[in-house]
Every structure is written in structure tokens, then in C-alpha cells.
Amino acid sequence: MANIHFHPDPVLLSRFAHGELESASSIMISAHLEFCPYCRQKIAAIETEQAGLLEKSEPATLSPALNAMMQQIMDQELVDETVDDWPDTQLKLEDKSYPLPSALQRHNEKIGPWSRLPGNIKRAQVDVSGSCKMNFIYMDSDSALPEHTHQGQEITLVLAGEFYDENGTYKPGDFIIQTEAHKHLPRTREGKDCLCLTLLNAPLHFTSGLATLLNPFSQLFFR
Ligand SMILES: [Zn+2]
């Protein structure tokens, strides 16, 4: 998708290709790859390089399992559309329905239920192993998350719709990493809602005047 402006950095892609990321981070990267031919090419190049190195040292080595997974992702684009109608490949929110990232398909028992957060935000937790917290975040049109900074790191992948903050507008496939250094105020415009998949490795720290009220919200959000 040519509209993607924010990608995982080369170090992260390389660590993914080498199987060095924990599963929650790998899910975020592979979900981005489904949107992004540019990064798929980069992964393929790293793998070709790896395969070359393996051939030199161990001629009989089997292809890495990652190759099989990437092949699966590529193949899925060719799969007949009826497959997309399977309920467990879709994320449901009231009358709306969104295609799930492949890595989360057929694992519906690990998702949800939706809960309502302040500011027209809805959230469904994804049960992932490790210390990270993964959530689907739905922002209705014309809504805002309270301004916050991050202790640690937050990865956001836009799955549908769009949101914006001080630094730009983010659309499907955009992969944004926020750290302690960032303070931002995510918002949606009138008539534009947004579904994201987020991965947090520490609670959000809210900086707005409502901070006192929102402290419980911070815990709620991270849980
Ligand atoms: Zn990309």
C-alpha cells in the first residue's frame, strides 16, 4: 500500500527476520507486513542473505520456519474472498466488522470483550504471553485520547480508518513507535473513526489537567 508512511526500523525488521523478537512484537510486525509490500521485500532480502550464508556453511539446512510463515502471508492475498467471511477471521464491534491480522485469526478466545473508556474510546484486550499488553483500540469519530507520555514503549498499528496527532496523520498499515521522549494527543476527525492494534510495555503516563481523574484510567488502559 503506497499510502504507508511509517514503518518498523531496519533493526526491528532484521530482528524479526532472525526470529529474535518475542511473540507479541512479532505479531505487530507481521500485521504491518500484511499491509506493506515495501517491508515484505526487505524481509525477503534479509532472508535471501541468510539463506546464502546458510548455504555456504550448511548446504543441507532446511528453510527457516519463517519462510513458511511469510509464504502463508503472501498466499493469503490470493485466497478466495469467501474465506474472509469466516467469522473468526473478523473482529466484531457492534455493527462493524474488521479483518483480523492473520496472526490473530482463529484465536478469538484471546480477544475481548470490548470495554468502554473515557472519550469515545473502546478497547478489547488481546491475551498475549510476556510482559507486554496488547489491545485493540477503537476511537469513534471526533474523539481524543487524553494527552499522555509513555513510560517505556508503545507500538501502534493502524488497521482501519485514521487518527492524527501533533506529528501527522496515520492511516492503515502505519506503524508508529512512541517512547518516553514523546508526548502526544491522538485524535480522530469528524466523520473518521479509527481501529488500531497497540502494544504497550509500560503504563501510559497522562500529562493533561485531568491527570488525577485519569490515573485509574491509566491502570485500566494498561491492564
Ligand atoms: Zn513497512
Side-chain angles (χ1 to χ4, degrees):
M1 211 171 287
N3 285 335
I4 299 175
H5 292 114
F6 302 89
H7 306 268
D9 67 42
V11 175
L12 206 48
L13 283 180
S14 168
R15 290 183 63 195
F16 173 81
H18 289 90
E20 293 168 6
L21 296 179
E22 64 171 314
S23 62
S25 301
S26 295
I27 289 170
M28 299 301 290
I29 303 279
S30 68
H32 171 77
L33 292 175
E34 289 177 46
F35 286 92
C36 187
Y38 171 77
C39 287
R40 283 206 300 266
Q41 251 171 29
K42 286 185 141 185
I43 295 284
I46 295 169
E47 290 194 330
T48 306
E49 197 182 312
Q50 263 182 304
L53 291 175
L54 285 173
E55 262 171 39
K56 276 175 200 155
S57 56
E58 306 167 51
T61 305
L62 291 171
S63 304
L66 186 65
N67 272 333
M69 193 190 90
M70 286 309 299
Q71 194 56 50
Q72 208 182 6
I73 289 171
M74 313 277 195
D75 288 349
Q76 266 163 10
E77 292 179 347
L78 305 171
V79 164
D80 189 84
E81 262 193 19
T82 51
V83 172
D84 288 337
D85 294 335
W86 292 2
D88 53 2
T89 63
Q90 301 286 313
L91 180 69
K92 294 267 193 294
L93 172 58
E94 289 160 5
D95 57 340
K96 291 178 277 285
S97 159
Y98 301 93
L100 275 171
S102 299
L104 295 175
Q105 286 179 10
R106 283 170 272 280
H107 291 289
N108 276 13
E109 78 283 357
K110 295 191 185 300
I111 301 171
W114 286 99
S115 57
R116 197 178 282 273
L117 299 180
N120 273 340
I121 313 290
K122 294 190 184 74
R123 180 199 60 175
Q125 298 175 51
V126 184
D127 180 15
V128 288
S129 58
S131 57
C132 296
K133 305 293 170 190
M134 188 180 285
N135 288 295
F136 284 101
I137 301 288
Y138 174 80
M139 300 175 73
D140 212 339
S141 62
D142 201 15
S143 62
L145 266 183
E147 186 175 53
H148 59 277
T149 53
H150 306 91
Q151 301 161 348
Q153 178 183 273
E154 178 193 48
I155 299 177
T156 302
L157 176 71
V158 181
L159 296 175
E162 63 174 61
F163 78 94
Y164 71 100
D165 66 11
E166 298 82 348
N167 302 312
T169 296
Y170 310 98
K171 299 192 173 189
D174 277 333
F175 183 100
I176 310 116
I177 295 190
Q178 303 274 346
T179 64
E180 287 97 333
H182 302 92
K183 185 169 87 170
H184 74 148
L185 179 58
R187 289 176 176 280
T188 50
R189 295 189 172 86
E190 212 179 313
K192 303 264 188 189
D193 59 358
C194 188
L195 178 72
C196 295
L197 184 63
T198 65
L199 186 65
L200 284 168
N201 67 5
L204 299 178
H205 179 252
F206 289 96
T207 51
S208 76
L210 291 169
T212 341
L213 286 175
L214 290 166
N215 274 340
F217 174 77
S218 169
Q219 289 308 314
L220 191 70
F221 197 85
F222 183 61
R223 201 184 292 152

